[in-house]
Amino acid sequence: MPFPLLTSIVFLPLLGGLLILFIPKERTGLMKTIATAATGLALVLAVALLLKFDCGGTAMQFVEQLPWIPQININYHLGVDGISIGLVFLTALLGFFACIGSYGIKERQKEYYFLYLLLNTGMLGTFLALDLFLFYVFWELVLVPMYFLIGIWGGPRKEYAAIKFFIYTLAGSVFMLLSILALYFTSNPHTFNMLELAKSGSALAKGFQIALFIGFYLGFAIKVPVFPFHTWLPDAHVEAPTPISVLLAGVLLKMGGYGFFRISFPILKDAAIYFALPFAILGLINIVYGAFVAMAQTDFKKMVAYSSVSHMGFVMLGLASMTVTGFNGALMQMFNHGVITGGMFLLVGVLYDRAHTRDLNKFGGLGAKMPVYAGILTVFTLASLGLPGLSGFVSEFMSLMGGFAAFRLITVISVLGIIITAGYFLYMIQRVLLGPLNPAWSKITDINRREIFTLAPLMIVIIAIGVYPLLILNFQSPAIINLIQHIGGALF
């Protein structure tokens, strides 16, 4: 029997979490060690998965399938292809470094690390499940630990933010569940197998496809988040502890985009083509509206949160294009945004730990007092605003190229978002690092080694992909071409 690589990646964090439950609550050092080891091993296995992955293949690889509830044809079915492998690696990468970033958590550490590891299992499972029922289980599994992690360890308005997050995402999930049930009962024989449903979905009447597409859309769009379903995101980000903000921006938002790639577009392709223009318009709104609102923020964390709304608009625009270039750009943007924004939230946390404020107007001149921090913050900022040579530029450029081929005017207006983004990020750099030093921060210390350890690998990924995008395109492009051919889009 081959080694169950995917199952090990998914459930190693949960195993670590269960071990922590048996440890006396005062042994916090051991808890941190177990949590770090569990997420670290998951990352090592994710790297092994990358090394063993056949980049030229379009079929699912490392498939693991066992009957789970055979009476209704539900299977424990995992697999990975070019669409999911980057997101699995991203989740394992951020899961490990955010775990190290969690060392600053001082209260109720036993519960924290258990919920944190449970959250990791839910996220990894979502990207690997090939059975719709199993996908829904992992999808909902993410909701519960995230609710408690924000509601217990969050900021002053943590209960409000946690409840808002829960209600929004649960409401979307309910509509998604209805679409899953409808798909199951219209398939013959009844199945939750995503691969089988992708083959038979085109036989469904277009009107029925549109109804199902809307149900899935409500579930996925809230997670992305697409305007006007984005209002839960800034509250959740501002109130969540730093490591949870990293996972929220780095991974959770990608679950929505992944749902479009894995379920909505391949199974309901006529509806996907029907909704291409609304997707492009919503992408434009996300890009420009998110950028303008980010510019108006004085809270550092809230500014980065709204920048996420803007950056995820490029994913919507790329998806709307129905082209290979646009799809590649959208999928790559999901990965790059996860790495860049995950790092940005870690940097916000570094500053907050020392200053206990995120008000941008209260900083100034920190570049001289924190030179290493200033250098790292500048790299992440330039990547986020899309400077050529860094990863953010490549994915945004490809999304715009795909969008331009399909929706010229919308894409031209969307480019305004890049200019506005450059404006508010450079204004942030000016307020935090430049100008005279605020005397209140005369004794502030620079970033420490542990913090550098969490940020340096992310910075290497940003530069490596920026200089050599084939590092990621080689993995995802064959699967994207296969998907576009299945949908009937343009092989541009």
Side-chain angles (χ1 to χ4, degrees):
M1 180 180 176
F3 178 69
L5 186 56
L6 303 188
T7 297
S8 303
I9 291 173
V10 172
F11 289 103
L12 262 173
L14 179 60
L15 181 64
L18 293 174
L19 279 175
I20 285 173
L21 287 182
F22 293 97
I23 294 174
K25 64 180 181 182
E26 61 273 13
R27 299 196 64 183
T28 55
L30 183 57
M31 290 177 201
K32 291 175 184 173
T33 303
I34 291 175
T36 307
T39 52
L41 278 172
L43 176 58
V44 169
L45 292 180
V47 172
L49 182 69
L50 282 176
L51 296 175
K52 290 184 175 182
F53 187 81
D54 176 14
C55 293
T58 56
M60 284 291 166
Q61 300 179 38
F62 303 93
V63 175
E64 297 170 21
Q65 188 168 10
L66 291 170
W68 184 14
I69 312 175
Q71 289 79 2
I72 48 176
N73 203 14
I74 292 176
N75 296 295
Y76 173 78
H77 190 186
L78 302 181
V80 66
D81 66 354
I83 292 172
S84 54
I85 191 165
L87 297 170
V88 172
F89 174 68
L90 173 71
T91 307
L93 183 74
L94 292 182
F96 175 64
F97 289 114
C99 183
I100 296 173
S102 299
Y103 287 1
I105 299 289
K106 302 297 181 190
E107 296 176 349
R108 302 176 65 175
Q109 295 181 48
K110 185 172 186 171
E111 296 95 321
Y112 175 86
Y113 283 110
F114 171 72
L115 291 168
Y116 179 85
L117 293 169
L118 181 63
L119 176 67
N120 271 259
T121 286
M123 294 186 300
L124 288 164
T126 302
F127 294 130
L128 290 171
L130 294 179
D131 183 286
L132 268 178
F133 183 86
L134 185 63
F135 174 85
Y136 189 76
V137 169
F138 282 125
W139 180 279
E140 292 300 286
L141 188 62
V142 169
L143 188 58
V144 178
M146 184 56 83
Y147 168 77
F148 287 111
L149 287 165
I150 297 173
I152 296 175
W153 290 273
R157 296 171 70 240
K158 56 192 177 188
E159 290 91 354
Y160 168 77
I163 290 171
K164 192 173 180 181
F165 162 78
F166 194 94
I167 290 175
Y168 261 77
T169 48
L170 183 65
S173 300
V174 169
F175 289 103
M176 183 171 72
L177 179 61
L178 290 174
S179 289
I180 290 174
L181 290 173
L183 264 180
Y184 174 76
F185 283 109
T186 50
S187 58
N188 187 22
H190 298 330
T191 182
F192 289 104
N193 187 318
M194 294 182 194
L195 305 180
E196 294 299 322
L197 289 170
K199 292 175 186 171
S200 61
S202 57
L204 298 172
K206 186 175 176 181
F208 187 57
Q209 282 194 41
I210 289 172
L212 296 181
F213 193 94
I214 292 171
F216 280 117
Y217 174 80
L218 291 172
F220 300 148
I222 288 171
K223 272 282 201 301
V224 169
V226 180
F227 178 88
F229 304 118
H230 65 287
T231 61
W232 64 269
L233 181 71
D235 290 318
H237 270 309
V238 169
E239 300 305 323
T242 296
I244 305 308
S245 288
V246 171
L247 294 186
L248 194 59
V251 181
L252 250 75
L253 307 190
K254 314 304 173 291
M255 287 168 56
Y258 176 73
F260 289 126
F261 273 106
R262 177 64 68 212
I263 298 172
S264 299
F265 280 62
I267 297 177
L268 307 165
K269 60 182 187 181
D270 293 336
I273 294 168
Y274 179 81
F275 282 111
L277 177 59
F279 259 61
I281 294 171
L282 288 168
L284 161 67
I285 295 172
N286 260 52
I287 293 169
V288 178
Y289 166 80
F292 270 122
V293 180
M295 180 171 264
Q297 302 306 314
T298 55
D299 185 310
F300 197 172
K301 211 172 183 184
K302 214 166 189 175
M303 188 206 77
V304 179
Y306 274 109
S307 80
S308 295
V309 174
S310 178
H311 284 124
M312 291 305 286
F314 289 100
V315 176
M316 296 295 289
L317 185 62
L319 278 167
S321 72
M322 297 288 174
T323 64
V324 171
T325 306
F327 270 40
N328 264 320
L331 189 57
M332 196 197 282
Q333 173 72 356
M334 286 164 57
F335 181 88
N336 289 341
H337 175 263
V339 175
I340 296 169
T341 306
M344 286 296 291
F345 276 114
L346 285 172
L347 287 161
V348 174
V350 168
L351 206 52
Y352 185 75
D353 286 345
R354 287 157 176 74
H356 303 294
T357 179
R358 295 188 297 265
D359 189 342
L360 290 167
N361 294 323
K362 291 184 178 176
F363 296 113
L366 293 184
K369 291 293 294 182
M370 306 173 70
V372 180
Y373 176 84
I376 297 174
L377 178 63
T378 304
V379 171
F380 276 87
T381 301
L382 294 176
S384 196
L385 64 82
L387 189 79
L390 300 171
S391 61
F393 170 76
V394 184
S395 49
E396 288 182 10
F397 184 73
M398 291 185 75
S399 294
L400 289 170
M401 274 188 75
F404 193 78
F407 305 103
R408 195 157 296 185
L409 179 61
I410 289 173
T411 307
V412 169
I413 301 172
S414 297
V415 174
L416 285 175
I418 296 177
I419 300 168
I420 302 164
T421 301
Y424 68 76
F425 269 126
L426 293 176
Y427 188 38
M428 177 273 288
I429 289 282
Q430 182 203 328
R431 285 187 284 181
V432 175
L433 302 180
L434 306 179
L437 177 68
N438 183 338
W441 316 123
S442 59
K443 295 183 179 177
I444 201 166
T445 55
D446 204 349
I447 190 168
N448 62 39
R449 289 180 182 175
R450 177 176 64 81
E451 292 160 341
I452 291 174
F453 177 73
T454 61
L455 286 158
L458 303 183
M459 204 158 54
I460 291 169
V461 171
I462 288 169
I463 296 170
I465 293 178
V467 174
Y468 192 64
L470 283 178
L471 281 175
I472 188 166
L473 284 172
N474 280 341
F475 282 94
Q476 67 181 45
S477 200
I480 291 293
I481 292 170
N482 193 45
L483 176 59
I484 286 291
Q485 285 175 332
H486 174 74
I487 298 172
L491 295 177
F492 159 68

